[in-house]
Amino acid sequence: LEMCNNAEVGEENSMTLHRLLARASRAKPKQARPPPALVCNNCKHVPCLDGQKLTEGNFVADSRICDISFRGVGGKTVKLDGSQVTFVDERYQIRHQFSIHQFKFCCE
């Protein structure tokens, strides 16, 4: 654009401008990247594991879990010992230890 501002109108400038526009029309536009996925505040995973069964491979300390059978049992995880999860009941602040296979992540 600077060239057009300073140069005189003429065949040579027109040819240069034509070449620049032709090159610009062949250029591939950059594709926008999708925004990075946000890590879940509870399970610390991407994508979020809400509703997924708790396993030894996806255990995260201080995450909210609940009983798969919806009996109202659940709380914040403390530690994993083999297949036993220790958690603190959010209502009564009591520690419990159960089989990891009874629980799922309750993120939302």
Side-chain angles (χ1 to χ4, degrees):
L1 295 177
E2 182 88 20
M3 176 190 80
C4 294
N5 195 25
N6 296 332
E8 291 182 28
V9 177
E11 189 174 315
E12 187 178 328
N13 292 337
S14 294
M15 181 64 89
T16 304
L17 181 59
H18 179 75
R19 286 181 186 163
L20 283 172
L21 291 173
R23 184 175 290 175
S25 70
R26 288 191 302 266
K28 294 180 181 176
K30 291 184 179 181
Q31 293 186 359
R33 292 183 184 175
L38 298 177
V39 175
C40 176
N41 288 330
N42 184 56
C43 69
K44 310 296 187 244
H45 285 87
V46 174
C48 175
L49 299 178
D50 184 45
Q52 300 293 314
K53 287 185 178 181
L54 191 61
T55 68
E56 293 176 30
N58 66 15
F59 175 83
V60 177
D62 200 37
S63 61
R64 188 169 189 286
I65 59 171
C66 52
D67 192 295
I68 290 173
S69 63
F70 302 106
R71 291 187 301 227
V73 178
K76 287 280 192 172
T77 58
V78 175
K79 69 177 184 175
L80 183 66
D81 187 16
S83 63
Q84 298 289 307
V85 62
T86 301
F87 64 93
V88 176
D89 183 300
E90 292 174 311
R91 186 180 301 162
Y92 303 110
Q93 299 300 307
I94 299 172
R95 277 187 177 221
H96 301 280
Q97 187 172 19
F98 289 102
S99 169
I100 195 172
H101 306 291
Q102 289 180 237
F103 295 94
K104 64 182 179 179
F105 285 102
C106 294
C107 300
E108 296 179 2

